[in-house]
Amino acid sequence: MANMAYWVRASRAGEGIATIAANLVARYSFEKLGLHRIEIVVSKENAASLRIAEKLGAVREGLLRNRLQVQGSPCDAYMHSLIPKDFEINNTA
């Protein structure tokens, strides 16, 4: 199991870089490393990162209260997950 996070500098935001990179990392993690789960925790206020999780096909599993600290204040965050099946990968071995 692993956690995934992504950040793109403001001048390159909106170009799809994070989505492409996260997709490659997830595929590599499932195909080469044999992981069975990747978690993505995103502040409920971070619309751009939430869109990336959706584009990856991550399943939103729930709202976690006070899960993250953003600029020194606790904030709620959504937990998302990816599993090999989401990428049509079978790594049950």
Side-chain angles (χ1 to χ4, degrees), residues 41 44 62-68 74-79:
V41 179
K44 75 175 195 172
L63 180 66
L64 309 176
R65 300 180 310 147
N66 286 353
R67 175 60 176 81
L68 298 175
C75 70
D76 297 346
Y78 288 111
M79 168 69 76

Side-chain angles (χ1 to χ4, degrees), residues 12-54:
R12 300 300 301 265
E15 297 179 15
I17 295 168
T19 304
I20 292 167
N23 191 307
L24 291 170
V25 167
R27 285 189 173 283
Y28 182 85
S29 298
F30 295 136
E31 291 175 344
K32 303 296 184 189
L33 302 179
L35 295 184
H36 294 277
R37 179 179 172 89
I38 297 173
E39 295 181 346
I40 305 169
V41 179
V42 181
S43 165
K44 75 175 195 172
E45 305 299 326
N46 189 338
S49 288
L50 290 170
R51 277 194 307 275
I52 293 166
E54 290 172 9

